[in-house]
Amino acid sequence: MIVILKKDIKGTGKAGDVVKVSDGYARNMLLPKGYAVEATDGNIRSLEKQKAVQAQKEADEKAAAEKLAAELAEKKIVIRTKAGEGGRLFGSITSKDIADAAEEQLGISIDKKKIQLNRTVKQTGHFDVEIKLYQGVKGTLSVDIVEE
């Protein structure tokens, strides 16, 4: 029997796959538990339509992320903090500090988990911070750390 999987099933396939399974497995396991539907012409057309909608949604999200990356490249944020002799900070600047400053100064909400710091920031100066916006799309934000 040919079925369309609704959920990922180990050893059989992933959600959305059209697979051929034994009749007993389909009738006794997959169909009653709602893990799959029979692969009729209507169900296959519906699956293709869902895949097209999902692909369009992903393309829109990627385009929005690329636009945001271009905007971030032109922007700069300034973080004021206490520093000691020679520009050494008391403590360090974290990704949360950068996310909060971006929200406050630019009005752009950035998840702190997507900010990738190459090293800990314990010194005043200029830093370029990489931000992972979408799969395969990264933006760069200029950050200036200045003494209060």
PDB file of all heavy atoms in Angstrom, residues 9-22:
ATOM      1  N   ILE A   9       8.668   8.670  10.988  1.00  0.00           N
ATOM      2  CA  ILE A   9       8.629   7.327  11.541  1.00  0.00           C
ATOM      3  C   ILE A   9       9.970   6.671  11.250  1.00  0.00           C
ATOM      4  O   ILE A   9      10.378   6.537  10.090  1.00  0.00           O
ATOM      5  CB  ILE A   9       7.485   6.491  10.934  1.00  0.00           C
ATOM      6  CG1 ILE A   9       6.154   7.169  11.258  1.00  0.00           C
ATOM      7  CG2 ILE A   9       7.514   5.071  11.467  1.00  0.00           C
ATOM      8  CD1 ILE A   9       4.973   6.547  10.605  1.00  0.00           C
ATOM      9  N   LYS A  10      10.655   6.296  12.330  1.00  0.00           N
ATOM     10  CA  LYS A  10      11.985   5.715  12.218  1.00  0.00           C
ATOM     11  C   LYS A  10      11.919   4.445  11.366  1.00  0.00           C
ATOM     12  O   LYS A  10      11.106   3.566  11.599  1.00  0.00           O
ATOM     13  CB  LYS A  10      12.528   5.401  13.605  1.00  0.00           C
ATOM     14  CG  LYS A  10      13.961   4.975  13.613  1.00  0.00           C
ATOM     15  CD  LYS A  10      14.465   4.810  15.026  1.00  0.00           C
ATOM     16  CE  LYS A  10      15.916   4.398  15.007  1.00  0.00           C
ATOM     17  NZ  LYS A  10      16.452   4.241  16.351  1.00  0.00           N
ATOM     18  N   GLY A  11      12.776   4.358  10.382  1.00  0.00           N
ATOM     19  CA  GLY A  11      12.855   3.186   9.526  1.00  0.00           C
ATOM     20  C   GLY A  11      11.885   3.205   8.359  1.00  0.00           C
ATOM     21  O   GLY A  11      11.969   2.358   7.473  1.00  0.00           O
ATOM     22  N   THR A  12      10.957   4.169   8.340  1.00  0.00           N
ATOM     23  CA  THR A  12       9.978   4.232   7.259  1.00  0.00           C
ATOM     24  C   THR A  12      10.156   5.495   6.422  1.00  0.00           C
ATOM     25  O   THR A  12      10.211   5.435   5.204  1.00  0.00           O
ATOM     26  CB  THR A  12       8.543   4.171   7.828  1.00  0.00           C
ATOM     27  OG1 THR A  12       8.409   2.991   8.611  1.00  0.00           O
ATOM     28  CG2 THR A  12       7.520   4.134   6.713  1.00  0.00           C
ATOM     29  N   GLY A  13      10.219   6.652   7.075  1.00  0.00           N
ATOM     30  CA  GLY A  13      10.409   7.898   6.340  1.00  0.00           C
ATOM     31  C   GLY A  13      10.075   9.104   7.187  1.00  0.00           C
ATOM     32  O   GLY A  13       9.729   8.990   8.358  1.00  0.00           O
ATOM     33  N   LYS A  14      10.171  10.260   6.556  1.00  0.00           N
ATOM     34  CA  LYS A  14       9.902  11.522   7.236  1.00  0.00           C
ATOM     35  C   LYS A  14       8.504  12.011   6.859  1.00  0.00           C
ATOM     36  O   LYS A  14       7.913  11.546   5.899  1.00  0.00           O
ATOM     37  CB  LYS A  14      10.937  12.564   6.837  1.00  0.00           C
ATOM     38  CG  LYS A  14      12.344  12.204   7.273  1.00  0.00           C
ATOM     39  CD  LYS A  14      13.232  13.415   7.185  1.00  0.00           C
ATOM     40  CE  LYS A  14      14.616  13.098   7.671  1.00  0.00           C
ATOM     41  NZ  LYS A  14      14.731  13.122   9.108  1.00  0.00           N
ATOM     42  N   ALA A  15       8.005  12.965   7.641  1.00  0.00           N
ATOM     43  CA  ALA A  15       6.686  13.540   7.387  1.00  0.00           C
ATOM     44  C   ALA A  15       6.654  14.137   5.980  1.00  0.00           C
ATOM     45  O   ALA A  15       7.568  14.836   5.569  1.00  0.00           O
ATOM     46  CB  ALA A  15       6.370  14.601   8.419  1.00  0.00           C
ATOM     47  N   GLY A  16       5.584  13.840   5.248  1.00  0.00           N
ATOM     48  CA  GLY A  16       5.432  14.349   3.889  1.00  0.00           C
ATOM     49  C   GLY A  16       5.943  13.404   2.823  1.00  0.00           C
ATOM     50  O   GLY A  16       5.705  13.630   1.640  1.00  0.00           O
ATOM     51  N   ASP A  17       6.623  12.335   3.200  1.00  0.00           N
ATOM     52  CA  ASP A  17       7.133  11.370   2.227  1.00  0.00           C
ATOM     53  C   ASP A  17       6.000  10.460   1.755  1.00  0.00           C
ATOM     54  O   ASP A  17       5.110  10.103   2.515  1.00  0.00           O
ATOM     55  CB  ASP A  17       8.225  10.494   2.833  1.00  0.00           C
ATOM     56  CG  ASP A  17       9.526  11.233   3.057  1.00  0.00           C
ATOM     57  OD1 ASP A  17       9.648  12.379   2.583  1.00  0.00           O
ATOM     58  OD2 ASP A  17      10.426  10.656   3.701  1.00  0.00           O
ATOM     59  N   VAL A  18       6.065  10.100   0.484  1.00  0.00           N
ATOM     60  CA  VAL A  18       5.148   9.104  -0.078  1.00  0.00           C
ATOM     61  C   VAL A  18       5.931   7.797  -0.124  1.00  0.00           C
ATOM     62  O   VAL A  18       6.928   7.690  -0.836  1.00  0.00           O
ATOM     63  CB  VAL A  18       4.671   9.506  -1.491  1.00  0.00           C
ATOM     64  CG1 VAL A  18       3.750   8.447  -2.071  1.00  0.00           C
ATOM     65  CG2 VAL A  18       3.975  10.864  -1.452  1.00  0.00           C
ATOM     66  N   VAL A  19       5.486   6.793   0.662  1.00  0.00           N
ATOM     67  CA  VAL A  19       6.235   5.547   0.775  1.00  0.00           C
ATOM     68  C   VAL A  19       5.317   4.349   0.538  1.00  0.00           C
ATOM     69  O   VAL A  19       4.102   4.424   0.730  1.00  0.00           O
ATOM     70  CB  VAL A  19       6.908   5.405   2.163  1.00  0.00           C
ATOM     71  CG1 VAL A  19       7.978   6.449   2.352  1.00  0.00           C
ATOM     72  CG2 VAL A  19       5.900   5.481   3.279  1.00  0.00           C
ATOM     73  N   LYS A  20       5.942   3.264   0.141  1.00  0.00           N
ATOM     74  CA  LYS A  20       5.214   2.013  -0.034  1.00  0.00           C
ATOM     75  C   LYS A  20       5.526   1.131   1.164  1.00  0.00           C
ATOM     76  O   LYS A  20       6.683   0.869   1.470  1.00  0.00           O
ATOM     77  CB  LYS A  20       5.648   1.313  -1.320  1.00  0.00           C
ATOM     78  CG  LYS A  20       4.871   0.058  -1.592  1.00  0.00           C
ATOM     79  CD  LYS A  20       5.189  -0.530  -2.939  1.00  0.00           C
ATOM     80  CE  LYS A  20       4.296  -1.742  -3.144  1.00  0.00           C
ATOM     81  NZ  LYS A  20       4.429  -2.288  -4.478  1.00  0.00           N
ATOM     82  N   VAL A  21       4.463   0.709   1.873  1.00  0.00           N
ATOM     83  CA  VAL A  21       4.600  -0.147   3.043  1.00  0.00           C
ATOM     84  C   VAL A  21       3.681  -1.353   2.861  1.00  0.00           C
ATOM     85  O   VAL A  21       2.804  -1.357   1.995  1.00  0.00           O
ATOM     86  CB  VAL A  21       4.247   0.597   4.354  1.00  0.00           C
ATOM     87  CG1 VAL A  21       5.222   1.727   4.614  1.00  0.00           C
ATOM     88  CG2 VAL A  21       2.837   1.131   4.322  1.00  0.00           C
ATOM     89  N   SER A  22       3.881  -2.347   3.700  1.00  0.00           N
ATOM     90  CA  SER A  22       3.017  -3.530   3.601  1.00  0.00           C
ATOM     91  C   SER A  22       1.594  -3.152   4.021  1.00  0.00           C
ATOM     92  O   SER A  22       1.371  -2.251   4.814  1.00  0.00           O
ATOM     93  CB  SER A  22       3.552  -4.651   4.484  1.00  0.00           C
ATOM     94  OG  SER A  22       3.438  -4.297   5.841  1.00  0.00           O
TER      95      SER A  22
END
